Each structure stands twice: as structure tokens, then as C-alpha cells.
């Protein structure tokens, strides 16, 4: 290395393959998802479902199959949220959780967690087989592996938890991966698929079963009562017996303070062609930075999906660097021929890491919510739909208490609550005090940054054609300062994870109002 050259050996070895300039999910790129109209009148149904990702679509499918009249509404286009940007592993192996859950919730409830997710996997498998849905569904063993001595004990404890709970599994030193591992815990017969292809089939079934679907229809409020109603941003009303919020961040936050009971993380995926063949299996590292691996069949060819690099939304390094880190990992272990896709997802984690699924409160038994799947929404989103179907049709479920959104476990909820809200306070203050030197005129094409305009903090992005777009960086949720995300060309809030387009439009809540536009 020449004197004065500060490039590290690792950076020097990054091959000259470029990342795709813009993010695109393979699931969305490869599937024709049908379009639906906006809601343009008041309607009355049995169940109004808000949010068309895996839980909303599966709930609408199950309830319309039972003969109930359902309306499913989505603020944007179907499946373009987290479900369209997942790694789509269908597994009850959610990283290392069973040992931790036993210590917090006891053996019986932890077993319920496993069973709810194992049943969700079986439901997906059975539905695909019954209807012969073409969605690249493949059974695979799932591994949590480690290369770190410190994590070996945790893998051992996790395997002991499997044994205590009767979960099929094994402990191994070495996995089929082309690099050494120190230990891994294996859960056999899990699966992977193309979630958008699978859910597009369910969407078509909802329509055949008499359901209604509306896109670009944003729910902004709910009226309580035996006959409840969802109010949309364009002033229409869906009167219904039950309301189900599956909108990722619940649209009905008014009385539940979900923004203080969950935190948002982003993670990244590359879809690559490689020199080395993939050995089969689905993998996730126990240690950070997370590395997740699975394969997918793209136009008859084998691709590897390399995921990981999660961080709190709006916090951390330039987001392109996360994709670069995954690229380096892929090159090192598999040799990259092509990086065809890159995309990222946002996930919500609750205070105790269990999803919130069920009645929003005892006073509003007909208003239900499903959120906080951590990063495992394929099974927990399906488990949520199966539970909500039971609750709406008044059948009992052993999982009601476990997922009750009103629960508060002293440990770990209090600790997590304090840490999360101290983090919010820190970012609120840091954003206000930050010194800014950059000016809008310093930005090149396709560059965004926080800038100084008339002495105040503002957000600016100069698009590829050279047009400048400026916004007020004060988040419309609770006033934190948003940060630029160059990987996605969005403004992301470090406090509760709201995200806005470079033009200020809301992409993810809890914020409901757009960022204020500043005239260039
Ligand atoms: Fe809460 Fe921005 S998301 S202040």
C-alpha cells in the first residue's frame, strides 16, 4: 500500500461490481400484483382491514373464506411495504430467542410462541400445496451460526431450550456454508418462498370470495362503538363490526402509545449471482453485524440473497455503506458475478420482543391490531392472521394471552422502555444542536443532505436532472430532526422510525402528515 493511502486491505479487495443505482425488490419486480381503485364512497362491511402486507391480506383471505364481508384498504400499493422487501424465510427459528423467552415468560408461553409460528408455517405450506401456488416454495433447514467464542454458550443454551420445549433441532459445529463456524443450532424443515407471488394468489382469492380491496386509501382515524368505523384521509367512512389494523405501524395510535412501545430498524438485502454454488439451507449469524443467507431461483438460475446490517432507522452511517458491507461478505465467501438487486426493509420490535396481536383494549374489543414482528413477519404475520380470524369469529385460541397488546412484563419491558426513550431524547436534542455547514448549492446531482437555508436546518436533495427538492427536517410526528438516507433517497426519523420521500410524503408512520416543503 502506498504511503498516505488509507485504503484498508478489505476495501482494496472490493471488486469493481457496481451496486444497482436504485433499490428494487426481486419479489416485486418478478410478480404482477393486480391494481385496485381508491375508495370513493362510504361503505359498510363486517370487517375493515387496514394494511395490505402479509397479515392484512391473510386476514382478509381467511375471513372472506368464512363468508364475512371484508374491505381491505392500503395507503399506497399492495405489498410495497415490509412484506415486499423481506428475505422471506418462513421459519419458527427467530434468531436466538427461545432461551431468552423461557427466562422472561416461562416454558408454557414460550412453547405457545413456537407452536403459533410452526402452525403458521404449516398453514402457508398447506395453502400452497392445496392450490398449487407457483411461488418458489422450498423446504430448507434453518441455522443460527456463530464464529465467535462468546456466542458459543448462547448457541448451546438455545439448543437446550429447544430440547426443553420439545422443538425438533440439533447442535452442530460446522454447517454446509463454505466457511468455518464454531457452532450452530439447526431447526429442520423450515422454508423459503416468493412472498409476493404467494400473496398475489390470496389477493385474487379475496376478490373471488366477495371481498373488496382499495389502494391509495389511507385510514386516519377510527370511530369506536359496537358498529365501528374507519375514516379515510379523503373523508370516506367504512362502517364495520370489526376493525383490524395491520398497517405495520398501527394507524390507531391515539390511546395505545405504540410509538413508545416499539422501535424501528432497517436492514439490507443484496440479490446476487455467484461463482460458488450455494450449499442449501437458510442461515443467520448469532453475532453482529448480522449476516443472513438463503437462495432463490431467479429466471431458472440460482441467486443468493445476502441480508443483514440492521440498525435503528435514521441512525448510523451512510446507508450505502451497509450494502457495500454485504457485497464484501458475498465476494469473500461466494465470489460475486452480478449484483442484480438491492433492497431494504423496516421492521418494528416491541419492548419484550413479542408481537402485539389482539384487542387494542378491553373497551374496544372489536378493534384489533397486529404489529411488532421483529424481523420474522412471514410466520408471525401469518400467525397474527390466524389468531385474528379466531377472535373475530369468537373462537378460542391458546395464543391470545401471549400476544395481548395490553400486556406489560416488568422484565424486560421496563428496561427496554427506558433505553428506547433515552435514545429518543438523545436524538431529539442532538438533531436540534447539530452544526450545519453545507449549503444547497454544494449538492451535486443525485445527492441529498441536511443543509443550512436562511440560517435554519433544512433537508435538500438534488435529483438526477438537477432539480432541487427541499423540506423542513422537523418530523411531523413529535418534532425530532430527520436524517438523509442515501440508499433509498428518503428522510428517516431517528426517534420512532417515520420515513418520508425526498418530496416530503409520508412513507412509514407513526407520522401522518408530510414534511413541510421549502421553496428552492
Ligand atoms: Fe416520532 Fe419522528 S417518528 S418524532
Amino acid at each position: 500500500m502506498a504511503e498516505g493511502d488509507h485504503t484498508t486491505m478489505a476495501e482494496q479487495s472490493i471488486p469493481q461490481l457496481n451496486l444497482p443505482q436504485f433499490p428494487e425488490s426481486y419479489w416485486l419486480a418478478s410478480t404482477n400484483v393486480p391494481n385496485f381503485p381508491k375508495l370513493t364512497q362510504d361503505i359498510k362491511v363486517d370487517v375493515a382491514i387496514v394494511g395490505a402486507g402479509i397479515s392484512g391480506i391473510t386476514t382478509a383471505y381467511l375471513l372472506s373464506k368464512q363468508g364475512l364481508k371484508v374491505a381491505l384498504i392500503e395507503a399506497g400499493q399492495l405489498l410495497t411495504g415490509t412484506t415486499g422487501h423481506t428475505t422471506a424465510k418462513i421459519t419458527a427459528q427467530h434468531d436466538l430467542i427461545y432461551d431468552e423467552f423461557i427466562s422472561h415468560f416461562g416454558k408454557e408461553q414460550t412453547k405457545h410462541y413456537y407452536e403459533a409460528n410452526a402452525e403458521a408455517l404449516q398453514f402457508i405450506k398447506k395453502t400452497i400445496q392445496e392450490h398449487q401456488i407457483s411461488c418458489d416454495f422450498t423446504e430448507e433447514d434453518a441455522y443460527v451460526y456463530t464464529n465467535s467464542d462468546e456466542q458459543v454458550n448462547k448457541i448451546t443454551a438455545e439448543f437446550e431450550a429447544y430440547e426443553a420445549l420439545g422443538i425438533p433441532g440439533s447442535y452442530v459445529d460446522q454447517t454446509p456454508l463454505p466457511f468455518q463456524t464454531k457452532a450452530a443450532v439447526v431447526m429442520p424443515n423450515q422454508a423459503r418462498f416468493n412472498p409476493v407471488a404467494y400473496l398475489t394468489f390470496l389477493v385474487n382469492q379475496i376478490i373471488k370470495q366477495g371481498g373488496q380491496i382499495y389502494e391509495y386509501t389511507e385510514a386516519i382515524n377510527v370511530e369506536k362503538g359496537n358498529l365501528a368505523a374507519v375514516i379515510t384521509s379523503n373523508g370516506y367512512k367504512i362502517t364495520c363490526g370489526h376493525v383490524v389494523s395491520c398497517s405495520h405501524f398501527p394507524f390507531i395510535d391515539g390511546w395505545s402509545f405504540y410509538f413508545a412501545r416499539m422501535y424501528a430498524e432497517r436492514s439490507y438485502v443484496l440479490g446476487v449471482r455467484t461463482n460458488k454454488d450455494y450449499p442449501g439451507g437458510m442461515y443467520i449469524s448469532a453475532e453482529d453485524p448480522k449476516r443472513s443467507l438463503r437462495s432463490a431461483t431467479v429466471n431458472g438460475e440460482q441467486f443468493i440473497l445476502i441480508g443483514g446490517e440492521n440498525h435503528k432507522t435514521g441512525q448510523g452511517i451512510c446507508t450505502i455503506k451497509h450494502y457495500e458491507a454485504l457485497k464484501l461478505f458475498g465476494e469473500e465467501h461466494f465470489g460475486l458475478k452480478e449484483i442484480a438487486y438491492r433492497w431494504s426493509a423496516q421492521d418494528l420490535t416491541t419492548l419484550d420482543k413479542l408481537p402485539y396481536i389482539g384487542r387494542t383494549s378491553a373497551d374496544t374489543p372489536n378493534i384489533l391490531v397486529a404489529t411488532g414482528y421483529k424481523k420474522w413477519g412471514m410466520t408471525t404475520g401469518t400467525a397474527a392472521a390466524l389468531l385474528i380470524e379466531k377472535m373475530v369469529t369468537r373462537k378460542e385460541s391458546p395464543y391470545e394471552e401471549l400476544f395481548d397488546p395490553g400486556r406489560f412484563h416488568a422484565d424486560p419491558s421496563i428496561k427496554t422502555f427506558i433505553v428506547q426513550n433515552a435514545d429518543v431524547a438523545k436524538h431529539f436534542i442532538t438533531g436540534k444542536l447539530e452544526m450545519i455547514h453545507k449549503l444547497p448549492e454544494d449538492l451535486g446531482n443525485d445527492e441529498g443532505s441536511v443543509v443550512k437555508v436562511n440560517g435554519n436546518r433544512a433537508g435538500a436533495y438534488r435529483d438526477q436532472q438537477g432539480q432541487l427538492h427541499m423540506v423542513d427536517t422537523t418530523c411531523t410526528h413529535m418534532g425530532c430532526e430527520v436524517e438523509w438516507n442515501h440508499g433509498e433517497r428518503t428522510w428517516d426519523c431517528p426517534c420512532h422510525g417515520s420515513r418520508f420521500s425526498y418530496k416530503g410524503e409520508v412513507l412509514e408512520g407513526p407520522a401522518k402528515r408530510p414534511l413541510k416543503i421549502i421553496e428552492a
Side-chain angles (χ1 to χ4, degrees):
M1 195 185 298
E3 205 178 330
D5 180 354
H6 298 295
T7 315
T8 64
M9 290 304 287
E11 282 163 343
Q12 282 185 337
S13 69
I14 295 179
Q16 289 315 302
L17 276 180
N18 287 329
L19 291 167
Q21 191 178 7
F22 291 99
E24 181 183 41
S25 144
Y26 168 66
W27 316 129
L28 290 164
S30 62
T31 313
N32 281 326
V33 182
N35 297 121
F36 292 92
K38 274 186 192 175
L39 180 68
T40 53
Q41 59 179 350
D42 292 348
I43 56 171
K44 193 171 173 190
V45 291
D46 297 318
V47 188
I49 300 157
V50 178
I54 191 163
S55 24
I57 291 173
T58 312
T59 302
Y61 167 75
L62 290 167
L63 292 173
S64 57
K65 201 173 170 192
Q66 299 264 350
L68 293 176
K69 205 168 161 192
V70 305
L72 172 64
I73 66 168
E74 166 59 49
Q77 277 178 289
L78 300 193
L79 290 164
T80 52
T82 301
T83 300
H85 294 88
T86 167
T87 51
K89 294 174 176 172
I90 319 167
T91 176
Q93 185 189 62
H94 297 174
D95 210 330
L96 300 179
I97 45 153
Y98 289 103
D99 179 53
E100 183 183 334
F101 277 7
I102 289 175
S103 67
H104 290 143
F105 315 121
K107 235 168 98 176
E108 192 188 343
Q109 292 290 33
T110 305
K111 189 149 192 201
H112 281 336
Y113 182 86
Y114 169 74
E115 285 166 351
N117 283 287
E119 282 169 23
L121 190 163
Q122 289 312 316
F123 169 83
I124 294 172
K125 181 178 168 183
K126 192 166 153 258
T127 307
I128 290 169
Q129 285 174 345
E130 224 172 81
H131 300 281
Q132 301 190 346
I133 305 169
S134 169
C135 59
D136 196 24
F137 178 90
T138 309
E139 288 197 331
E140 301 265 23
D141 293 346
Y143 296 74
V144 186
Y145 71 87
T146 185
N147 284 315
S148 132
D149 287 325
E150 284 148 42
Q151 297 288 333
V152 171
N153 287 346
K154 287 196 179 167
I155 297 264
T156 308
E158 188 74 354
F159 174 62
E160 285 166 3
Y162 282 23
E163 289 194 307
L165 297 167
I167 298 175
S170 51
Y171 177 100
V172 294
D173 298 324
Q174 188 52 47
T175 71
L177 286 169
F179 52 85
Q180 284 294 312
T181 55
K182 294 204 154 114
V185 60
V186 193
M187 197 179 277
N189 305 323
Q190 307 300 290
R192 58 165 173 89
F193 68 161
N194 176 336
V196 175
Y198 163 72
L199 290 165
T200 295
F201 175 85
L202 297 197
V203 163
N204 291 328
Q205 287 300 110
I206 294 167
I207 299 298
K208 281 188 194 153
Q209 289 163 185
Q212 303 172 53
I213 302 180
Y214 300 98
E215 289 183 310
Y216 299 105
T217 301
E218 188 191 4
I220 53 162
N221 210 347
V222 71
E223 284 177 8
K224 304 180 205 173
N226 285 344
L227 214 50
V230 172
I231 312 298
T232 70
S233 60
N234 49 0
Y236 295 108
K237 194 184 227 192
I238 308 173
T239 307
C240 53
H242 283 86
V243 175
V244 186
S245 167
C246 298
S247 55
H248 201 218
F249 195 93
F251 80 100
I252 39 174
D253 199 31
W255 60 92
S256 299
F257 299 101
Y258 288 110
F259 65 83
R261 298 167 60 207
M262 292 194 287
Y263 62 89
E265 283 197 334
R266 297 200 66 73
S267 54
Y268 301 83
V269 184
L270 294 182
V272 298
R273 278 195 311 126
T274 56
N275 295 320
K276 272 191 204 159
D277 282 342
Y278 189 71
M282 306 190 294
Y283 304 87
I284 189 158
S285 64
E287 57 270 24
D288 287 328
K290 284 282 171 205
R291 293 291 175 260
S292 155
L293 290 161
R294 58 156 281 188
S295 61
T297 312
V298 175
N299 300 327
E301 260 195 273
Q302 189 183 62
F303 269 57
I304 302 181
L305 304 187
I306 305 172
E309 287 286 308
N310 42 305
H311 64 88
K312 286 244 187 95
T313 301
Q315 302 184 18
I317 56 174
C318 168
T319 50
I320 284 289
K321 297 234 183 301
H322 294 293
Y323 290 110
E324 293 286 1
L326 297 180
K327 174 179 156 184
L328 185 59
F329 176 84
E331 176 55 25
E332 203 176 314
H333 297 298
F334 296 96
L336 300 184
K337 276 195 205 155
E338 183 195 0
I339 306 171
Y341 298 93
R342 71 169 176 93
W343 69 84
S344 68
Q346 177 136 323
D347 290 281
L348 298 169
T349 301
T350 68
L351 295 179
D352 59 10
K353 300 188 184 171
L354 286 169
Y356 296 134
I357 307 166
R359 299 180 184 97
T360 45
S361 73
D363 303 344
T364 53
N366 57 344
I367 300 178
L368 303 132
V369 70
T371 188
Y373 305 148
K374 225 167 144 230
K375 291 185 172 54
W376 304 101
M378 296 300 99
T379 46
T380 45
T382 303
L386 291 164
L387 175 54
I388 286 168
E389 179 206 15
K390 285 209 163 73
M391 294 177 98
V392 169
T393 56
R394 296 202 166 80
K395 288 182 201 128
E396 289 200 346
S397 163
Y399 311 134
E400 255 188 67
E401 187 193 330
L402 175 69
F403 294 124
D404 179 6
R407 70 180 182 270
F408 189 86
H409 297 290
D411 183 29
S413 297
I414 290 174
K415 267 190 233 150
T416 318
F417 183 84
I418 292 168
V419 170
Q420 291 313 322
N421 288 289
D423 186 58
V424 167
K426 184 184 101 188
H427 280 91
F428 183 87
I429 292 164
T430 317
K432 305 288 173 198
L433 298 181
E434 190 186 1
M435 295 290 286
I436 298 147
H437 302 293
K438 213 164 194 164
L439 300 171
E441 46 272 35
D442 298 335
L443 297 176
N445 284 8
D446 193 25
E447 195 184 340
S449 176
V450 170
V451 293
K452 204 186 225 174
V453 176
N454 301 328
N456 296 322
R457 191 184 202 271
Y461 170 62
R462 193 178 297 284
D463 66 23
Q464 288 180 297
Q465 285 71 42
Q467 196 190 336
L468 191 63
H469 304 267
M470 293 208 293
V471 293
D472 182 334
T473 52
T474 306
C475 177
T476 56
H477 176 230
M478 291 179 77
C480 289
E481 295 297 323
V482 296
E483 297 292 341
W484 179 241
N485 171 348
H486 188 62
E488 324 301 312
R489 276 73 164 179
T490 57
W491 293 104
D492 296 357
C493 182
C495 287
H496 312 105
S498 290
R499 297 181 62 237
F500 304 86
S501 74
Y502 63 79
K503 293 180 178 171
E505 302 133 330
V506 177
L507 300 174
E508 303 243 13
K512 290 186 175 151
R513 284 173 294 115
L515 296 176
K516 221 163 80 199
I517 302 287
I518 296 177
E519 292 307 329

